[in-house]
Amino acid sequence: MEKDREKVSIYRIAEEAGVSPATVSRVLTKNANVSEEKKKKVEKLISKYNFSPNAMARGLTSSRSGIIGVLIPDIRNPFYAGLAVECERAAGERNYSLMLSNYMNDMRLEEQRLYKLVSQQIDALIIMGGRVDERITDSVYAERINRVCDFMPVVTTGKLEGSDCYQVNLDDSAGMDRMMEYLISNGHRKICIIGGRKDVDSTHTKSIRYRSILKKYGITFCPDYIVETGGYSMESGYRGMNYLLENAKWLPSAVIAINDLTALGIIKSLREHSLRIPEDISVVSFDNTLLAETSVPRLTSMDYNYQQYGDTLINTALAVLEDRNPKKIQIIPTELVIRDSCRKLNGDT
């Protein structure tokens, strides 16, 4: 009997009752906002399958708390800080508050913080970064997230194959295409990309698009010009640029940093090697955080429209909560912000 019970999910009950999973969740949590007819159908199936909420669901109350939980890897990263601020603004405009949990890039703490957050009577969960960014989804983790999805909306900024969560993703492919087109239109042919890990989906996507655009313009791919650093910090950018300068056969004319933090490390390395930006090497990056505007020189960087990003994350979570059936996957467009860190070359370089 226990084995049969495990096979029954909130989605099976919803399908048989002809209602949404959110309606089943409301019946389980004794929410009054369900018609008597639907309630009876759901309760009959719950009794039939002897279905009961799991441990996480028992922490939920019968009324909404007005709180949306947000799980992030590291609030010190200005990308996550900026996005969290926009989510808080968007939530506040809709009479909701945020509960933020930060696991400091420690994957051992990620699930612990996840379950702790879910137990705090939040109405919906937004997951930024971490395992949802992995190129190959951990099926066990996806199943655990599905258990959370049974009782509340879950929205991610990455992908989680096999899960029932909603996705609000950046258009990484278009962003990298636009960055490469910009550099090539300014005469750059020796273009390097530094930072990140190949098992992270967005980094992998940028690497694929980088090679595709080189091929489109008949530019020979140089393996030395993709430097994986294993991280996204200033320190990793510094190490990556040092490695390139010590090992590459030819100095690149332009460097693409995987994010603004990495770009700061690249700039530090170039200065220590007495190389000027952009006179000797141009530097561009992704994220367009406050760092891009305040660095010297000011960084040309790919912007994500953080206000739209925050609005979409919060609106999606609330739309699921209110049974309004939002799109499963939504894409946030990118826009290149041109500043002082890239120069136009004359002739073939």
Side-chain angles (χ1 to χ4, degrees), residues 129-148:
R131 294 193 184 183
V132 301
D133 281 350
E134 292 176 350
R135 188 160 65 93
I136 300 174
T137 297
D138 181 334
S139 59
V140 174
Y141 181 75
E143 179 55 34
R144 287 171 181 163
I145 294 300
N146 277 343
R147 293 175 190 168
V148 180

Side-chain angles (χ1 to χ4, degrees), residues 22-32 53 57 60-63 151:
T23 297
V24 179
S25 178
R26 291 188 188 110
V27 173
L28 286 166
T29 56
K30 303 187 186 305
N31 192 307
L60 300 176
T61 62
S62 60
S63 60
F151 300 98

Side-chain angles (χ1 to χ4, degrees), residues 273-293:
H273 286 84
S274 300
L275 292 166
R276 301 166 301 165
I277 306 162
E279 292 83 1
D280 298 317
I281 295 182
S282 293
V283 178
V284 295
S285 67
F286 285 83
D287 287 0
N288 194 38
T289 63
L290 182 64
L291 298 178
E293 179 65 37

Side-chain angles (χ1 to χ4, degrees), residues 16-49:
E16 290 193 29
V19 300
S20 71
T23 297
V24 179
S25 178
R26 291 188 188 110
V27 173
L28 286 166
T29 56
K30 303 187 186 305
N31 192 307
N33 191 24
V34 180
S35 70
E36 193 63 28
E37 180 185 359
K38 290 181 179 179
K39 181 181 176 182
K40 286 181 178 179
K41 285 183 180 180
V42 172
E43 287 179 339
K44 184 176 180 180
L45 288 166
I46 289 172
S47 177
K48 174 183 175 182
Y49 292 117

Side-chain angles (χ1 to χ4, degrees), residues 29 61 86 150 155 175 192 234 273 286 323:
T29 56
T61 62
E86 290 299 336
D150 283 350
V155 185
C192 170
M234 185 171 72
H273 286 84
F286 285 83
D323 228 357

